[in-house]
Amino acid sequence: MDRGQLMAQIVGRGWAGAIGAAMAAGVLALWGCGGEKQEKASPDGKADGSNPSDRGGGARPTELGAMTIGFSQLGAEGDWRTAETDSIRGEAQRLGVSLKFADGQSRQEKQISDVKAFILQDVDAIILAPIVETGWEPVLRDAKRANIPVFLVDRGVDVSDESLYVTLIASDFVEEGRLAADWMAYELGGKANIAELQGTVGAAPAIDRKRGFAEEIAKHEGMKIIASQSGDFRRSVGKEVMEGILAAHADELDAVFAHNDDMAMGAIEAIARHGLEPGVDIVVVSIDGVRAAFEAMVAGTLNCTVECNPLLGPKVFDAIRRHATGEELPKWIRVEDQVFDQTTAADVIGSRRY
Ligand code: AHR
């Protein structure tokens, strides 16, 4: 099989369909916070914010230009996150949405208090990019009681009740891990000692990418993960962790799988400082597809990146508009991604938008 066939196979693996929607049961609730609101059940018995006519404080606008929307971003740990923030802010501006932005500064407690503040302000919708998967249930229940629909972007949450959010707009992180493993297995002929740089502990992309990668690697007897540590999705931490891994394993290491490009950039620096040639002595594969990754592929220091598209602004506002006009949305709006390596990087770098 030549590389063209491999890439076609990888890209054509098929992004499975959306998860079926599960709508909430009707509730009658009283919510008091800076002025008590009486919520009424809608004609169809739902009062979960999924029906625009549910809202007790009066109907919410159906036009995006008339809405005030809160956006709780988890932080600003790297290039990907900046591109996502810019996409959502830029699209809000283009559509005339009044967007309230809150930077969670990479702390879940801060994000939770930001979401609480949006609820107190009675925004028309909340966009949430959650730093970790767990711990969201109480604040999402508060939003539901206030009939404020929540739209998750980029990362999912682990909740017992899916009606706590309208939809998740995100890539398939498990599949991204599988694609990275497939590419690496092909490139190294199914034989490699691998170091893994994981993302933020407890974050959906770190959990899922690790799982997808491990699943595929397990199909090759000669491929082994000999070191695996969190680099928190950050370049500086990726570099530091990689230095430690090299100190212990430089002689036996063939490849690095970094859960994002930022950590891969850090690892590349560490490999070069260690006197080895990144991309040659040690194959480096990562995820995201940010501009720096394309530059590194053109320079030969990064071998492959699996795209994870952060340009979610148009998709999330489209979902908010459709929901406001009564459309039922799937629980997962899947973002399609592609795989890029050194053979295609120079041709496509000019057309990259982040
Ligand atoms: O949730 C998406 C991940 O978060 C991106 O891969 C990464 O760069 C970011 O930190």
Side-chain angles (χ1 to χ4, degrees), residues 77 80-81 154-155 173 205 209 233 260 288:
E77 73 280 11
W80 190 98
R81 187 75 35 206
D154 129 48
R155 297 183 182 180
F173 297 139
R209 287 171 185 167
F233 283 130
N260 81 346
D288 276 356

Side-chain angles (χ1 to χ4, degrees), residues 5-341:
Q5 287 167 318
L6 172 86
M7 300 312 277
Q9 180 193 306
I10 286 176
V11 174
R13 184 192 286 278
W15 305 86
I19 294 171
M23 302 307 288
V27 290
L28 250 179
L30 276 176
W31 177 64
C33 225
E36 200 171 74
K37 276 185 175 181
Q38 171 105 41
E39 296 169 4
K40 291 177 275 179
S42 66
D44 61 3
K46 290 176 182 166
D48 58 359
S50 64
N51 183 331
S53 65
D54 286 338
R55 284 112 191 176
R60 295 202 184 278
T62 53
E63 299 277 321
L64 286 169
M67 290 186 193
T68 297
I69 296 175
F71 172 27
S72 167
Q73 177 56 287
L74 65 89
E77 73 280 11
D79 291 354
W80 190 98
R81 187 75 35 206
T82 305
E84 184 194 51
T85 299
D86 290 350
S87 171
I88 292 175
R89 281 183 139 162
E91 190 65 4
Q93 198 173 15
R94 194 184 74 76
L95 295 164
V97 172
S98 166
L99 190 76
K100 290 174 183 288
F101 178 78
D103 179 348
Q105 295 164 6
S106 300
R107 289 187 291 119
Q108 186 180 28
E109 320 80 75
K110 168 77 167 62
Q111 271 204 289
I112 290 173
S113 77
D114 291 340
V115 172
K116 284 184 175 164
F118 290 147
I119 296 170
L120 282 172
Q121 292 163 55
D122 194 27
V123 294
D124 297 308
I126 293 171
I127 301 171
L128 171 64
I131 183 156
V132 289
E133 272 190 340
T134 56
W136 297 100
E137 199 133 345
V139 78
L140 292 180
R141 287 205 185 282
D142 290 347
K144 180 173 172 172
R145 268 185 231 111
N147 280 329
I148 299 173
V150 175
F151 296 80
L152 302 176
V153 284
D154 129 48
R155 297 183 182 180
V157 294
D158 188 358
V159 284
S160 62
D161 175 2
E162 279 201 332
S163 76
L164 295 177
Y165 62 90
V166 176
T167 189
L168 161 69
I169 298 160
S171 295
D172 184 336
F173 297 139
V174 177
E175 186 65 6
E176 289 172 349
R178 289 188 193 124
L179 291 168
D182 288 350
W183 191 94
M184 197 182 269
Y186 177 78
E187 183 70 13
L188 295 172
K191 217 170 158 296
N193 286 328
I194 305 157
E196 180 182 35
L197 298 178
Q198 299 177 38
T200 303
V201 175
I207 296 166
D208 293 351
R209 287 171 185 167
K210 182 171 182 49
R211 176 154 73 85
F213 187 79
E215 257 173 43
E216 289 297 290
I217 288 300
K219 295 177 184 166
H220 304 272
E221 240 178 62
M223 299 194 82
K224 270 197 300 274
I225 299 172
I226 59 168
S228 182
Q229 278 183 55
S230 172
D232 200 23
F233 283 130
R234 292 170 193 275
R235 182 177 183 140
S236 57
V237 187
K239 182 175 170 214
E240 204 181 297
V241 170
M242 192 65 211
E243 282 167 355
I245 292 174
L246 285 165
H249 300 284
D251 292 350
E252 46 178 343
L253 203 60
D254 302 302
V256 174
F257 168 47
H259 286 193
N260 81 346
D261 289 339
D262 282 283
M263 292 189 296
M265 295 305 117
I268 286 168
E269 272 185 64
I271 294 167
R273 277 173 68 122
H274 202 85
L276 295 167
E277 212 181 324
V280 178
D281 296 326
I282 296 183
V283 164
V284 185
V285 176
S286 64
I287 294 178
D288 276 356
V290 298
R291 179 162 302 278
F294 278 82
E295 288 165 357
M297 286 192 290
V298 172
T301 54
L302 178 73
N303 299 82
C304 170
T305 186
V306 178
E307 185 182 42
C308 177
N309 194 334
L311 306 179
L312 304 181
K315 287 190 170 59
V316 71
F317 289 109
D318 182 58
I320 294 171
R321 181 191 56 74
R322 286 160 59 198
H323 172 75
T325 53
E327 196 177 318
E328 189 168 326
L329 299 177
K331 275 327 239 195
W332 181 12
I333 297 174
R334 189 186 295 246
V335 177
E336 303 259 335
D337 300 307
Q338 296 176 61
V339 179
F340 299 97
D341 66 11

